[in-house]
Amino acid sequence: MAEAAGTGSESQRDTPLTVRGDVPRLASDVPHSARMWDYWLGGKDHYEVDRQAGEKAREAYPGIVDIARTSRALLNRIVTHLVSEAGVRQFLDIGTGLPTAENTHEIAQRAAPESRIVYVDNDPLVLAHARALLAGRPEGSTDYLHADIHQPGQILEGAGKTLDLTQPVGLIMFGIVGHVAEHSEALSIARALLDGLAPGSYLALYTGTDGDPALVEAERRVGEAGGTPYRLLDRQQVEEFFAGMDLVEPGVVPGTRWRPEGPVARSAADLASLSGLARKP
Ligand SMILES: C[S@@+](CC[C@H](N)C(=O)[O-])C[C@H]1O[C@@H](n2cnc3c(N)ncnc32)[C@H](O)[C@@H]1O
């Protein structure tokens, strides 16, 4: 397991970022989820192969852009809620994606600079960018774990080097559970992660759903283009992640409808996304 201090622009950062995990090969010949997501978000960190696969999906389903943007806006609302209303100061963000303007640590540390965040992803480009962009405030701590969601034990062990797992943690699973091929396995992984977290921890989840046949077709095209397929969930499957937990109002709703800050225009995310936040008793 490699462990290295980050080497990004020191002027923009107060503390170096620790990166844990084996440093993998950067494959630019196969479309990757994180880079296609970045393409749909209007970012610049993707390759031709990601643009081609991303464009095929967008032709089949232009709403994919809404689904991606809804995710980032929802992350902001949920993390702000957890810090400001629920007093959470630690976050484990699995399937982080490429850094954008408002990452979990920026949102959390704006309200509570002492917040600690561990990011987890298995994409080599996310790892490369993490070094430069995901470092946080000196009062808090930010760590990046290069790991696979299929290894929850390894994730908890790595996260425990930065987070105090006897205290509540906000577990963020946005756009990631569908990257686990079987629903039952995705559920077991989420339960294993939650079992390792203290009472009073939260699960925040956002996912694309099978509510719109056009998105189902778009995902089929991503798979056809060689990209990592995303398994779209139905409502019951989403609700199963929160079994035995205390769901925070308004419950399981499209990502756009979870405590919006103002009037919300109808968008693709109404039909083809679901989100929720729940507390571990
Ligand atoms: C759809 S993006 C979501 C990014 C971000 N969470 C968001 O909602 O904006 C999915 C992310 O999960 C990561 N991912 C996919 N499979 C994974 C796995 N097996 N283990 C860890 N991360 C994975 C991808 O690299 C990508 O960054």
Side-chain angles (χ1 to χ4, degrees):
M1 179 175 279
E3 192 171 318
T7 55
S9 158
E10 297 298 332
S11 62
Q12 293 183 359
R13 300 200 328 254
D14 299 299
T15 49
L17 171 75
T18 302
V19 174
R20 299 173 207 281
D22 294 319
V23 179
R25 188 178 78 88
L26 192 57
S28 57
D29 50 349
V30 181
H32 271 227
S33 164
R35 299 180 328 227
M36 286 168 54
W37 198 246
D38 179 72
Y39 174 69
W40 293 324
L41 283 172
K44 55 182 173 33
D45 300 312
H46 42 259
Y47 300 128
E48 183 56 28
V49 69
D50 307 307
R51 284 190 285 280
Q52 280 175 10
E55 204 40 43
K56 270 194 187 159
R58 205 179 58 81
E59 274 165 20
Y61 186 68
I64 195 78
V65 173
D66 288 326
I67 305 280
R69 293 189 180 162
T70 294
S71 176
R72 305 307 300 192
L74 176 69
L75 179 73
N76 208 321
R77 298 199 301 280
I78 285 194
V79 171
T80 301
H81 170 87
L82 285 174
V83 175
S84 304
E85 312 280 325
V88 174
R89 295 290 182 269
Q90 308 191 97
F91 293 89
L92 179 55
D93 182 343
I94 303 189
T96 306
L98 283 155
T100 62
E102 286 276 88
N103 305 293
T104 300
H105 73 283
E106 283 147 345
I107 304 163
Q109 292 182 343
R110 188 163 49 234
E114 72 275 24
S115 299
R116 297 170 180 209
I117 292 89
V118 173
Y119 291 108
V120 180
D121 207 290
N122 74 341
D123 188 296
L125 196 62
V126 177
L127 171 69
H129 284 258
R131 289 207 170 100
L133 296 173
L134 294 177
R137 301 273 290 262
E139 303 92 326
S141 186
T142 312
D143 202 353
Y144 178 85
L145 197 56
H146 187 85
D148 195 301
I149 192 172
H150 295 88
Q151 308 288 335
Q154 191 191 331
I155 290 175
L156 286 169
E157 192 192 326
K161 296 191 165 83
T162 301
L163 308 180
D164 175 355
L165 298 185
T166 67
Q167 297 300 312
V169 171
L171 173 61
I172 312 284
M173 298 179 86
F174 274 33
I176 178 72
V177 293
H179 280 308
V180 179
E182 298 291 332
H183 173 60
S184 58
E185 192 181 5
L187 271 183
S188 316
I189 291 170
R191 288 199 183 124
L193 290 166
L194 283 165
D195 282 349
L197 303 181
S201 292
Y202 285 82
L203 169 64
L205 188 133
Y206 173 73
T207 184
T209 64
D210 64 1
D212 188 338
L215 179 55
V216 177
E217 170 60 15
E219 282 300 333
R220 195 191 63 73
R221 290 193 191 187
V222 169
E224 213 174 58
T228 325
Y230 191 91
R231 183 177 48 78
L232 297 164
L233 281 72
D234 62 33
R235 171 173 275 278
Q236 188 188 328
Q237 289 174 329
V238 174
E239 286 173 351
E240 281 169 4
F241 282 92
F242 301 115
M245 301 182 77
D246 302 325
L247 258 179
V248 173
E249 286 296 321
V252 175
V253 292
T256 38
R257 307 286 151 180
W258 197 94
R259 303 194 182 205
E261 273 153 14
V264 184
R266 278 197 67 74
S267 82
D270 286 329
L271 211 54
S273 81
L274 281 172
S275 63
L277 176 70
R279 183 178 182 278
K280 176 179 171 174

